[in-house]
Amino acid sequence: GIQVEQSPPDLILQEGANSTLRCNFSDSVNNLQWFHQNPWGQLINLFYIPSGTKQNGRLSATTVATERYSLLYISSSQTTDSGVYFCAVPTGGGNKLTFGTGTQLKVEL
Amino acid sequence: DAGVTQSPTHLIKTRGQQVTLRCSPKSGHDTVCWYQQALGQGPQFIFQYYEEEERQRGNFPDRFSGHQFPNYSSELNVNALLLGDSALYLCASRSSGGTDTQYFGPGTRLTVL
């Protein structure tokens, strides 16, 4: 099956710093979603981005489907950005989402 | 516009018992997926329901079963609970007529003692 790897696995930032999270996938995909899982476990949709670049406030994402990777940029990080960031791709021809290995982000004051 | 809701929030059971978790999809959504997330791992797909039928299933034993009702809400049932079933159970919904975007509920945290 498809492999979805994320890097780095862990990241500690000072408030105000910028960061780039990466998601690599081993096979062609039709779309890709980025999620933020807060400390209470809620998965929050960030982007639905099959290709190209999207921006939402301090966050932006780019997917290069032909090269099988996606990037999530976080600018001017805040403590509320802490949590785990997952990318996920549909597999099996249906609604099954395969999640990446996740990036644990901690933003400190 | 209500998002995906799940109940209960937390649940404690003992080995061998049975449990039922509930999910109401986001307004306008007709497809429900269930995921299991063990501590420190990403969510794993259990199954998907659409038009009251199971349409796709992940690598989970038959102890995991589900149901979808005419109002699109869904239940996840787990029989003969094992310690390893302790996890966060997430429900996601989407519209079959829209994009593939899935929206997740807050989850049910199940502890098996």
Side-chain angles (χ1 to χ4, degrees):
Chain A
I2 191 169
Q3 303 299 312
V4 185
E5 300 288 334
Q6 292 183 240
S7 60
D10 298 279
L11 187 59
I12 299 175
L13 299 174
Q14 295 297 309
E15 196 172 45
N18 303 327
S19 63
T20 301
L21 282 56
R22 186 176 180 101
C23 171
N24 292 328
F25 38 96
S26 61
D27 204 351
S28 301
V29 297
N30 292 327
N31 66 70
L32 184 142
Q33 288 186 246
W34 279 100
F35 296 93
H36 172 215
Q37 188 165 41
N38 66 23
W40 297 271
Q42 174 79 58
L43 273 169
I44 300 163
N45 291 63
L46 297 178
F47 294 100
Y48 171 86
I49 183 164
S51 63
T53 297
K54 291 185 177 180
Q55 180 154 8
N56 185 2
R58 297 182 295 104
L59 303 181
S60 64
T62 295
T63 296
V64 184
T66 53
E67 297 187 21
R68 300 178 185 171
Y69 74 88
S70 183
L71 302 174
L72 178 68
Y73 306 96
I74 304 174
S75 64
S76 303
S77 58
Q78 301 175 358
T79 56
T80 52
D81 295 332
S82 296
V84 184
Y85 289 80
F86 288 104
C87 61
V89 298
T91 56
N95 289 270
K96 174 185 176 181
L97 283 179
T98 294
F99 282 76
T101 48
T103 292
Q104 174 85 54
L105 173 65
K106 183 177 182 181
V107 181
E108 299 178 333
L109 292 171
Chain B
D1 180 18
V4 181
T5 60
Q6 293 186 243
S7 64
T9 306
H10 295 86
L11 203 52
I12 299 175
K13 292 285 189 178
T14 56
R15 281 178 297 173
Q17 285 189 310
Q18 178 265 345
V19 68
T20 298
L21 311 181
R22 295 176 176 82
C23 170
S24 290
K26 185 177 169 66
S27 178
H29 287 185
D30 55 6
T31 300
V32 172
C33 298
W34 287 93
Y35 294 81
Q36 179 196 66
Q37 186 176 21
L39 196 62
Q41 313 223 345
Q44 299 291 317
F45 176 82
I46 302 175
F47 43 51
Q48 171 221 346
Y49 275 84
Y50 171 66
E51 291 185 328
E52 301 180 47
E53 290 189 13
E54 182 183 300
R55 300 290 180 166
Q56 192 177 10
R57 190 178 182 93
N59 294 326
F60 281 81
D62 292 345
R63 298 187 297 109
F64 289 77
S65 63
H67 190 77
Q68 186 179 34
F69 299 93
N71 67 352
Y72 309 121
S73 67
S74 177
E75 288 181 349
L76 164 66
N77 301 294
V78 187
N79 294 322
L81 284 167
L82 304 174
L83 295 179
D85 295 331
S86 295
L88 179 67
Y89 287 86
L90 295 162
C91 170
S93 73
R94 59 159 290 206
S95 168
S96 62
T99 69
D100 298 339
T101 306
Q102 293 187 25
Y103 294 87
F104 283 78
T108 294
R109 193 166 297 278
L110 173 65
T111 301
V112 182
L113 302 176

